[in-house]
Amino acid sequence: VKEHGRNNYRFYTPEMTHMAIDRLDMEGNLRRALERDELQVYYQPLVDLGSGAIVGAEALVRWSHPRIGMIQPGEFIPLAEDTGLIIPLGQLVLRRVCTDIRDWQASGLPPIKISLNLSARQFRQDDLSACIREVLDETGVEGRLLAFELTESMVMHDVENTLDTLRELKALGATISLDDFGTGYSSLSYLKRFPIDTLKIDRSFVRDIHQDGDDAAIAHAVIAMAHKLGIKVIAEGVECPAQLDLLREFGCDELQGYYFSRPVPVEEFTLMLRQARSL
Ligand code: C2E
Ligand code: CA
Ligand code: CA
Ligand code: CA
């Protein structure tokens, strides 16, 4: 993995050569993937810092290509956004998530909240909340079990439309998270202006939090400020106990990262929920 700047990762894998060959046909491939059920939803647990319990998860899409193997979202989400395929893709992910939530409930597991990523194109979709409502009705899942993750760049344009859309999502009972916080043109005024429930500190600030005093100061201040505004804070990319200790000291609410678990397939996540329950 080579790093370009603070929050841009490019992945160079052996598969990339195959991908390059297929580049032109990627769109066709992705279209087929949507029809042939090649997309999967993985779950990465969100852990409560106080109790250590799994209190939620982020849904992250994966593409298991019959020839190339597993393709990470960084490789196809941008293409899906450019081509508009992100709309059916997003709908597929939402339907899968709601079906999984329904199955967990049916098997007697306590309800947990699942976070979904919304891309700019989905967010601007006129019938976004109607499409979500349709899936909720179909699956019988309550809107309060969903959280939608948006980035700062998505909310900074067109304040009026953003407010309308956020209100519609909240009217479904869902909560709103600001993703990758700190990497965009962070304007603290968004936090005041928009009905944001949760803020996710980007992992580029968490990575060196135990080694870099500036990053620690930023994380600490962000957590304190968010709490004063009644906003919950999740730290992304927690990989070691030293980071966890500091985030605990700073009063962070929930953690997400490889230290607890990588994103895992639904079967594995279901097992985690069962085990946690029988503790
Ligand atoms: P994101 O929303 O910032 O998601 C978090 C990313 O950080 C995930 O990458 C996750 O696997 C990774 N991650 C989690 N913990 C750690 C850690 O401790 N260390 C490190 N180094 N990484 C960690 P992933 O799954 O490759 O997803 C990449 C991006 O693709 C996501 O970034 C999100 O922007 C987008 N994405 C994924 N699924 C969807 C989807 O269903 N819809 C949309 N619109 N975008 C999606
Ligand atoms: Ca996210
Ligand atoms: Ca993020
Ligand atoms: Ca990110």
Side-chain angles (χ1 to χ4, degrees):
V1 177
K2 278 196 182 175
E3 199 186 322
H4 296 261
R6 228 177 172 180
N7 196 38
N8 284 312
Y9 291 87
R10 289 203 191 138
F11 296 89
Y12 297 98
T13 63
E15 293 87 46
M16 285 300 283
T17 24
H18 303 274
M19 295 294 287
I21 296 166
D22 287 330
R23 192 96 222 157
L24 279 176
D25 197 35
M26 257 290 258
E27 183 181 344
N29 266 291
L30 187 54
R31 221 173 266 286
R32 273 199 304 278
L34 283 161
E35 289 160 10
R36 293 182 187 170
D37 212 26
E38 291 169 13
L39 297 179
Q40 290 159 2
V41 174
Y42 275 40
Y43 293 97
Q44 186 177 34
L46 299 177
V47 174
D48 180 84
L49 238 173
S51 65
I54 297 175
V55 287
E58 178 172 2
L60 294 156
V61 69
R62 299 286 181 266
W63 178 3
S64 100
H65 191 285
R67 203 155 38 80
I68 296 168
M70 193 63 93
I71 308 176
Q72 301 299 315
E75 298 290 341
F76 61 92
I77 291 288
L79 178 86
E81 282 169 0
D82 290 347
T83 55
L85 287 172
I86 193 71
I87 303 290
L89 186 153
Q91 195 73 359
L92 187 146
V93 169
L94 176 66
R95 183 161 283 123
R96 195 69 54 79
V97 164
C98 287
T99 309
D100 289 338
I101 293 177
R102 186 193 60 195
D103 291 349
W104 293 324
Q105 285 187 313
S107 72
L109 288 165
I112 62 162
K113 192 190 289 255
I114 302 297
S115 284
L116 296 108
N117 292 286
L118 279 187
S119 71
R121 188 119 171 196
Q122 292 170 276
F123 191 65
R124 288 197 311 265
Q125 193 189 342
D126 279 334
D127 56 349
L128 175 67
S129 67
C131 286
I132 297 170
R133 159 69 41 216
E134 193 183 307
V135 178
L136 290 173
D137 288 346
E138 227 175 82
T139 52
V141 166
E142 292 169 78
R144 68 176 178 92
L145 296 179
L146 300 180
F148 291 100
E149 301 193 358
L150 320 165
T151 59
E152 293 160 278
S153 59
M154 287 161 59
V155 298
M156 68 183 223
H157 310 288
D158 203 350
V159 172
E160 277 316 306
N161 273 321
T162 295
L163 258 181
D164 285 346
T165 308
L166 291 181
R167 284 193 189 118
E168 286 179 31
L169 293 175
K170 304 262 325 180
L172 296 170
T175 51
I176 308 293
S177 299
L178 208 46
D179 202 359
D180 303 342
F181 189 77
T183 59
Y185 298 89
S186 314
S187 161
L188 301 178
S189 66
Y190 303 141
L191 297 179
K192 206 183 120 183
R193 200 159 352 151
F194 298 129
I196 308 282
D197 303 286
T198 308
L199 182 158
K200 297 186 80 172
I201 303 180
D202 190 72
R203 74 164 183 270
S204 58
F205 294 101
V206 174
R207 190 177 47 215
D208 300 323
I209 197 173
H210 51 310
Q211 288 154 350
D212 182 325
D214 291 343
D215 284 350
I218 290 170
H220 197 174
V222 164
I223 293 167
M225 173 202 63
H227 283 170
K228 287 209 173 96
L229 296 170
I231 295 171
K232 197 172 77 177
V233 183
I234 300 175
E236 299 189 293
V238 178
E239 295 183 352
C240 71
Q243 294 165 334
L244 182 148
D245 289 342
L246 267 180
L247 289 161
R248 186 197 303 279
E249 188 187 317
F250 297 162
C252 191
D253 301 288
E254 293 172 19
L255 305 178
Q256 177 179 2
Y258 295 169
Y259 180 65
F260 303 101
S261 171
R262 294 190 172 247
V264 295
V266 61
E267 298 78 17
E268 208 170 314
F269 184 64
T270 306
L271 265 173
M272 289 174 156
L273 292 178
R274 287 230 179 82
Q275 277 158 3
R277 203 194 170 199
S278 61
L279 282 181

